[in-house]
Amino acid sequence: EMHQLTVTLPEGAEPVLYVMLADYASNTIGYKIELSSGGDAVGRCPMALFSDVKKNAWYHDAVDFAYENGLMDTVESLSFEPDKGAMRATVIEALYRLAGEPDVVGVELPFTDVKGNEDYIDALKWAYKLGIANGYSETMFGAFAPIPRQQLATMLYRAAKLGGEVETPDESVLDRFKDGAQVADWAKA
């Protein structure tokens, strides 16, 4: 059975309609419909699922990519929490998933604050084995600690180096930042 929907937009509003569809099993999918094209431009839009993300946010495409490719899980049903910081475990999980979730059988971890049944355990084994992520000490990883920018930049740089040639920037690049002198020595290596 066909249903018709009429949409009247306020003057000056963006001619885009975001739609979320769900079935009886709670399977949901989001769509973006460009009304200016007569509704012909319809595309999947995972961000349409989230109630806490502005649809015109500058990071719209990045959220779509991360969700569509399973790099990040939602915090709660239909919630992304874009204004909250990430945790160390979240970042290594995203990098691990982006790498295709390689096998980590036989990798041992020295961290006493990590249980063997944590959701992020394989990601941590992978990141630790490849030197992408280290602990705060030899025995403490701090998976649920917020990730400061220098830790994030270091993990991203180390992961990128694994994927191919990445130029090591001259330390003078830090002079562009007012807090560049505060970057830890381990983050420069």
Side-chain angles (χ1 to χ4, degrees), residues 71-153:
L71 301 183
M72 300 175 79
D73 296 323
T74 57
V75 179
E76 296 175 12
S77 178
L78 308 180
S79 178
F80 189 78
E81 295 187 344
D83 296 325
K84 285 197 172 183
M87 296 177 293
R88 290 167 50 89
T90 305
V91 172
I92 61 169
E93 279 185 295
L95 292 172
Y96 178 65
R97 290 171 181 173
L98 188 61
E101 300 184 33
D103 186 22
V104 292
V105 173
V107 177
E108 297 293 324
L109 294 172
F111 307 119
T112 57
D113 65 331
V114 175
K115 295 181 179 103
N117 62 346
E118 299 284 356
D119 289 344
Y120 62 87
I121 194 72
D122 286 348
L124 177 55
K125 287 179 177 182
W126 171 80
Y128 179 74
K129 173 185 168 187
L130 296 177
I132 293 169
N134 297 313
Y136 284 110
S137 72
E138 289 186 19
T139 58
M140 188 181 98
F141 181 70
F144 300 110
I147 186 161
R149 283 178 37 191
Q150 71 178 346
Q151 287 181 22
L152 176 61

Side-chain angles (χ1 to χ4, degrees), residues 6-181:
T6 303
V7 177
T8 305
L9 298 172
E11 190 172 325
E14 183 182 12
V16 174
L17 179 63
Y18 292 93
V19 178
M20 179 181 67
L21 303 173
D23 65 11
Y24 65 92
S26 297
N27 296 311
T28 56
I29 188 167
Y31 289 98
K32 176 180 178 180
I33 303 170
E34 302 276 348
L35 300 175
S36 60
S37 67
D40 291 337
V42 177
R44 288 185 58 139
C45 179
M47 204 163 106
L49 301 173
F50 302 122
S51 60
D52 62 344
V53 179
K54 293 178 182 166
K55 305 309 180 241
N56 62 349
W58 61 268
Y59 50 82
H60 183 133
D61 291 340
V63 171
D64 280 352
F65 177 83
Y67 185 76
E68 192 80 347
N69 289 284
L71 301 183
M72 300 175 79
D73 296 323
T74 57
V75 179
E76 296 175 12
S77 178
L78 308 180
S79 178
F80 189 78
E81 295 187 344
D83 296 325
K84 285 197 172 183
M87 296 177 293
R88 290 167 50 89
T90 305
V91 172
I92 61 169
E93 279 185 295
L95 292 172
Y96 178 65
R97 290 171 181 173
L98 188 61
E101 300 184 33
D103 186 22
V104 292
V105 173
V107 177
E108 297 293 324
L109 294 172
F111 307 119
T112 57
D113 65 331
V114 175
K115 295 181 179 103
N117 62 346
E118 299 284 356
D119 289 344
Y120 62 87
I121 194 72
D122 286 348
L124 177 55
K125 287 179 177 182
W126 171 80
Y128 179 74
K129 173 185 168 187
L130 296 177
I132 293 169
N134 297 313
Y136 284 110
S137 72
E138 289 186 19
T139 58
M140 188 181 98
F141 181 70
F144 300 110
I147 186 161
R149 283 178 37 191
Q150 71 178 346
Q151 287 181 22
L152 176 61
T154 302
M155 287 183 193
L156 293 175
Y157 175 71
R158 290 173 179 169
K161 280 179 33 178
L162 297 174
E165 289 190 37
V166 175
E167 289 185 30
T168 303
D170 187 290
E171 279 189 38
S172 65
V173 74
L174 296 173
D175 295 340
R176 290 189 253 167
F177 303 96
K178 66 181 181 179
D179 60 350

Side-chain angles (χ1 to χ4, degrees), residues 150 178-185 188:
Q150 71 178 346
K178 66 181 181 179
D179 60 350
Q182 297 172 13
V183 173
D185 288 339
K188 297 175 188 175

